[in-house]
Amino acid sequence: MTRPQGVRRVAVVAASPVSMFNLAIPELLFTKVEVDGGPGYEVVICAPEPGPVPTTGGLDLHVRHGLDAVREADTVLVAGTGQRYVPDPRTVAAVREAAGAGKRVASICSGAFALAEAGLLDGRPVTTYWELAEELGKRYPALDLKADVLYVHDGQIMTSSGYAAGIDLCLHIIRTDYGAAVANRVARLALVAPVRPGGQTQFTQTPLPPERGTFCADTRGWAMGNLDKPLTLTDLARHAGVSVRTLTRRFHAESGVSPLQWLLHQRIERAKELLETTTLPMDRIAGACGLGTADSLRGHLVRRTGLTPSAYRAQFTRIGTTGSPETSSAA
């Protein structure tokens, strides 16, 4: 299989029976990435045996490609079943070979079992769908299980929890490859939340309301358009037309975090996007994101990424400049 120059290839391995949702996530998100007017990724879905692959929904999917696609990929992502299963030995061998060749190997949901069986998770921090976490830990005691996070990125290996956490993982991969601006644009096109930090808990004990995340949607959109302002809980509640107590409760149920935690995350994401795509000085970026001062920007970014603003810009800038970007002394 040939591909355009500069396009990254992602091989998505369908377990059997595969979750159609888990399988659709990478295809949906990676194919929306556009860089310099062309596609950023090529997605190839493959299976140990080309042909019909059963799904957890009782349907069969016809998969055209075998595991040769893994050898030709830059990133290998094993989609899970959402239930207990024994990884196919051919998949296990393929991901072990891919990791040995230096490729990035990732999993969604129970796909982590294939990576663990291949010996790729020994001694590493990893996660999987919370209902399967205990079994993963018992079956593979050499790994460092992080059962309450959305995803884990450890070197060339990435693992994610189940279902929607696969979205977060794919957006994280896009951000790693192409920057926050591209990842956030993909999130908007796909009508999903911007990249959430991998360390955010899965909140398995918090039931979702019947609205499934729509009650505060307008207020979240309004807040995204006003990140440069010092928004308070009262401001958000007033926009939503509810009390602060009601807003906090509904917001947490929909987003998994409190309104102010969500707001801080969006401010930092906006700052990262501006650091990547502009040469604005640090105090201007801090003001545009509602973080106040360059010192405040520095503190938040170091806690989130381990990098100062100037170091983050140097590492992830997406623009060509003839000189050094203008920075403040706080950087």
Side-chain angles (χ1 to χ4, degrees), residues 169-258:
L169 176 67
C170 290
L171 288 173
H172 172 70
I173 290 173
I174 294 169
R175 181 177 62 187
T176 300
D177 289 342
Y178 293 111
V182 173
N184 290 341
R185 184 167 67 247
V186 170
R188 288 192 294 270
L189 288 172
L191 300 178
V192 297
V195 183
R196 294 185 290 178
Q200 182 174 311
T201 60
Q202 294 178 33
F203 295 105
T204 55
Q205 300 303 316
T206 303
L208 290 173
E211 293 83 1
R212 290 285 179 178
T214 61
F215 181 83
C216 298
D218 287 345
T219 297
R220 287 195 293 268
W222 172 78
M224 288 292 291
N226 290 276
L227 290 179
D228 59 325
K229 299 179 176 60
L231 301 177
T232 65
L233 274 176
T234 300
D235 295 327
L236 296 172
R238 183 182 299 116
H239 183 274
V242 296
S243 67
V244 168
R245 182 176 180 180
T246 297
L247 173 82
T248 302
R249 175 174 57 84
R250 298 298 292 271
F251 205 104
H252 192 286
E254 292 181 10
S255 303
V257 292
S258 73

Side-chain angles (χ1 to χ4, degrees), residues 41-317:
Y41 296 96
E42 179 185 57
V43 178
V44 180
I45 297 174
C46 60
E49 193 71 39
V53 175
T55 71
T56 54
L59 302 175
D60 283 348
L61 294 177
H62 184 82
V63 177
R64 292 184 296 167
H65 301 286
L67 294 177
D68 285 347
V70 170
R71 297 188 183 95
E72 301 170 0
D74 303 298
T75 298
V76 180
L77 198 160
V78 182
T81 67
Q83 60 190 32
R84 289 164 179 81
Y85 83 113
V86 177
D88 189 296
R90 293 168 292 182
T91 297
V92 173
V95 297
R96 184 186 294 122
E97 180 183 339
K103 301 178 187 295
R104 180 168 54 196
V105 180
S107 65
I108 297 177
C109 195
S110 60
F113 282 78
L115 276 59
E117 186 68 22
L120 304 183
L121 305 185
D122 291 354
R124 292 183 181 274
V126 303
T127 193
T128 190
Y129 183 41
W130 65 273
E131 281 195 329
L132 304 175
E134 183 178 358
E135 181 174 342
L136 181 69
K138 287 181 178 178
R139 196 185 297 184
Y140 306 101
L143 55 77
D144 179 13
L145 184 64
K146 306 294 184 183
D148 61 345
V149 300
L150 293 172
Y151 60 87
V152 176
H153 180 175
D154 184 58
Q156 73 185 102
I157 306 298
M158 301 181 183
T159 53
S160 73
S161 177
Y163 301 107
I167 297 174
D168 297 300
L169 176 67
C170 290
L171 288 173
H172 172 70
I173 290 173
I174 294 169
R175 181 177 62 187
T176 300
D177 289 342
Y178 293 111
V182 173
N184 290 341
R185 184 167 67 247
V186 170
R188 288 192 294 270
L189 288 172
L191 300 178
V192 297
V195 183
R196 294 185 290 178
Q200 182 174 311
T201 60
Q202 294 178 33
F203 295 105
T204 55
Q205 300 303 316
T206 303
L208 290 173
E211 293 83 1
R212 290 285 179 178
T214 61
F215 181 83
C216 298
D218 287 345
T219 297
R220 287 195 293 268
W222 172 78
M224 288 292 291
N226 290 276
L227 290 179
D228 59 325
K229 299 179 176 60
L231 301 177
T232 65
L233 274 176
T234 300
D235 295 327
L236 296 172
R238 183 182 299 116
H239 183 274
V242 296
S243 67
V244 168
R245 182 176 180 180
T246 297
L247 173 82
T248 302
R249 175 174 57 84
R250 298 298 292 271
F251 205 104
H252 192 286
E254 292 181 10
S255 303
V257 292
S258 73
L260 293 184
Q261 287 174 320
W262 177 90
L263 191 59
L264 176 59
H265 178 69
Q266 304 312 323
R267 294 190 193 283
I268 296 172
E269 286 300 305
R270 180 66 58 81
K272 289 160 65 178
E273 183 173 338
L274 291 174
L275 286 167
E276 294 175 21
T277 60
T278 75
T279 59
L280 288 172
M282 300 308 171
D283 55 349
R284 290 274 305 279
I285 290 178
C289 301
L291 292 174
T293 66
D295 284 336
S296 177
L297 168 63
R298 177 189 173 94
H300 285 297
L301 198 68
V302 168
R303 281 191 292 273
R304 179 64 57 86
T305 69
L307 298 173
T308 64
S310 57
Y312 184 91
R313 170 175 271 163
Q315 183 168 340
F316 295 106
T317 184

